[in-house]
Amino acid sequence: MMQRDYILILHDTLKDLDESRYWLKRSYDICKTIGIKDAYSEDEFDAFETLTGRFARTCDMIVQNGFRSIDKVEFEDRGTLIDALNRAHKRGLIDSIDEIRIVRDLRNEIVHEYRRANLQKLFQSILAQTPGLFSLLDRIRDYCHQYAE
């Protein structure tokens, strides 16, 4: 593939990230209004379930598609996840590896959380971490502006 092809893929990735951000923001606003409670109505629980799924998908898209697409445009070897995160850090997309580790750990908790007793804490963590995900999406968009056509 030529660099132009990689730039086109990056543009598609950015469109996907924008759409993911839109839906994540929609769910975040709804759940922020609901707030953290001891008990949720069925509709409130559904809203938080939607938020958790969108949070996890957005996190995956950032790491697997966003960072990797930038790597391809800049002719970086694919390497490991840690390699991709280190390059994202060098580009100023993340302040530290720990920043993304917290988000990834939360994503993993979402995927593997089955006990309803722990959901309140999970919902609280997601509400706390989502603004950071929006900030990360902004940084990716700003960084990729150099590849605008």
Side-chain angles (χ1 to χ4, degrees):
M1 288 183 121
M2 299 182 63
Q3 186 180 27
R4 174 133 177 88
D5 296 323
Y6 291 126
I7 290 173
L8 291 173
I9 291 169
L10 177 62
H11 284 250
D12 287 342
T13 298
L14 292 173
K15 287 177 191 173
D16 292 344
L17 288 172
D18 286 344
E19 184 174 350
S20 185
R21 178 198 176 92
Y22 171 83
W23 290 107
L24 179 63
K25 177 80 166 97
R26 185 176 186 283
S27 290
Y28 174 75
D29 289 342
I30 291 167
C31 291
K32 190 174 168 188
T33 300
I34 294 168
I36 302 302
K37 302 177 174 186
D38 290 330
Y40 296 94
S41 70
E42 289 179 357
D43 289 340
E44 291 171 335
F45 186 79
D46 287 344
F48 269 99
E49 283 288 308
T50 300
L51 174 64
T52 60
R54 289 175 176 169
F55 183 96
R57 279 189 302 280
T58 302
C59 182
D60 286 345
M61 289 175 68
I62 287 169
V63 174
Q64 299 302 327
N65 301 87
F67 294 161
R68 300 282 190 189
S69 291
I70 294 169
D71 283 347
K72 287 178 184 176
V73 168
E74 296 181 358
F75 299 109
E76 294 287 350
D77 289 330
R78 182 167 168 86
T80 65
L81 176 60
I82 281 292
D83 294 332
L85 295 178
N86 283 328
R87 288 189 294 268
H89 181 255
K90 287 179 187 175
R91 292 177 181 121
L93 298 175
I94 56 177
D95 293 325
S96 71
I97 300 298
D98 288 336
E99 172 189 350
I100 203 75
R101 183 171 302 186
I102 291 167
V103 172
R104 293 285 295 173
D105 287 348
L106 185 54
R107 176 252 179 233
N108 290 338
E109 191 176 336
I110 290 167
V111 172
H112 301 292
E113 185 57 58
Y114 299 109
R115 294 191 0 233
R116 191 175 176 115
N118 296 335
L119 290 178
Q120 183 184 34
K121 182 180 174 197
L122 179 65
F123 293 163
Q124 188 172 9
S125 295
I126 292 167
L127 285 177
Q129 293 300 319
T130 300
L133 217 51
F134 294 140
S135 177
L136 179 54
L137 288 164
D138 291 342
R139 284 174 152 180
I140 291 169
R141 166 102 11 231
D142 291 345
Y143 182 86
C144 292
H145 186 63
Q146 64 186 308
Y147 300 111
E149 294 183 319

